[in-house]
Amino acid sequence: MAAALLAQPARAQDIAEAAPPIAVDPAVGDYSSTQMELAAGLRLNRDGTFEYGLTVGSLDERARGRWTRVGDRIELVSDPRPVAPTITASRVEQGPDDAFAIRLVAPNGRDIPGIDLRIDFDIGQPLESYVAGEPWTLPADETRRPRFVTFSKESYRIDSGPLPLRADAGTVAIFLLTPNDFGVVDLTGAYLEPRGDGLVLTRPDGTIRFARAIASD
């Protein structure tokens, strides 16, 4: 009789009842961070994916991808990896006066504000400034000849590298910013560590402390 019972296949219900429940990582859930002008949110999903968003001042960024636990640390990988914005020379137009100017525009033709620029000259130290959403004009007392312009904004992963510049008087050199995944941050290599009931996000440009969000009824 015993041999006969052992030979019988187990029922699916019996197997399900005998199997231990799949453990859910205790870090799974929603988190938030609010301080001064900064507001950020983080969600770790049960399926190993994450969602992230941040707003601080005029900066908005977001990310999504996969997370993996390695000991006490949670490592993040953006998936898909975002493509950084690019800046290329577009065209040269006649200006409204004798000054030389630079414009950085979006595909819709609008000037883009808040991007740093650096002018390298034929001699001497470079000039650092920024575009403010309108044509940037070479100072009237600048007698050196510009050779290159570099646009950059670390928080948006913008780095054009030196772009050749022909600074003829009375012209406007127009450069085009192609957004690609503008505003999408690459969190590959960033990681989370527990801190109290929350998590601390560490990335190359700093840390953000998140508190676990309280679920509403």
Side-chain angles (χ1 to χ4, degrees):
M1 177 67 71
L5 289 174
L6 290 174
Q8 293 179 2
R11 293 181 303 164
Q13 180 178 355
D14 294 336
I15 295 175
E17 291 175 351
I22 299 176
V24 177
D25 193 295
V28 167
D30 293 333
Y31 299 82
S32 63
S33 178
T34 304
Q35 47 184 299
M36 299 295 287
E37 296 182 351
L38 181 148
L42 174 70
R43 171 174 292 170
L44 298 181
N45 298 310
R46 294 190 181 196
D47 63 359
T49 61
F50 76 86
E51 301 164 69
Y52 160 87
L54 175 144
T55 297
V56 55
S58 61
L59 171 66
D60 293 302
E61 64 180 24
R62 63 192 186 280
R64 59 186 299 180
R66 297 175 284 108
W67 63 273
T68 305
R69 177 171 289 280
V70 181
D72 289 336
R73 179 180 289 187
I74 292 174
E75 298 183 351
L76 305 178
V77 175
S78 287
D79 186 18
R81 297 286 292 271
V83 178
T86 58
I87 295 178
T88 54
S90 177
R91 62 190 185 279
V92 176
E93 294 182 348
Q94 199 65 32
D97 50 41
D98 291 336
F100 168 73
I102 291 174
R103 291 181 63 197
L104 178 63
V105 301
N108 61 8
R110 294 184 179 178
D111 288 86
I112 298 175
I115 306 299
D116 298 325
L117 64 78
R118 165 180 163 148
I119 304 294
D120 286 284
F121 298 90
D122 51 353
I123 58 172
Q125 296 298 312
L127 170 65
E128 295 185 353
S129 185
Y130 65 94
V131 290
E134 59 187 9
W136 178 91
T137 303
L138 187 69
D141 60 351
E142 181 58 72
T143 59
R144 296 175 296 171
R145 188 167 185 80
R147 293 299 188 189
F148 300 94
V149 59
T150 301
F151 298 94
S152 62
K153 191 70 171 179
E154 184 178 358
S155 56
Y156 282 126
R157 300 179 299 127
I158 294 175
D159 185 356
S160 69
L163 300 172
L165 195 61
R166 181 173 176 176
D168 293 333
T171 63
V172 180
I174 300 176
F175 294 84
L176 173 67
L177 186 150
T178 303
N180 294 323
D181 293 323
F182 191 73
V184 181
V185 64
D186 189 354
L187 290 184
T188 299
Y191 58 89
L192 300 160
E193 292 179 303
R195 180 77 59 84
D197 191 39
L199 295 169
V200 173
L201 171 65
T202 299
R203 43 192 284 193
D205 55 353
T207 62
I208 303 175
R209 182 169 181 173
F210 287 90
R212 186 181 287 274
I214 300 176
S216 58
D217 297 333

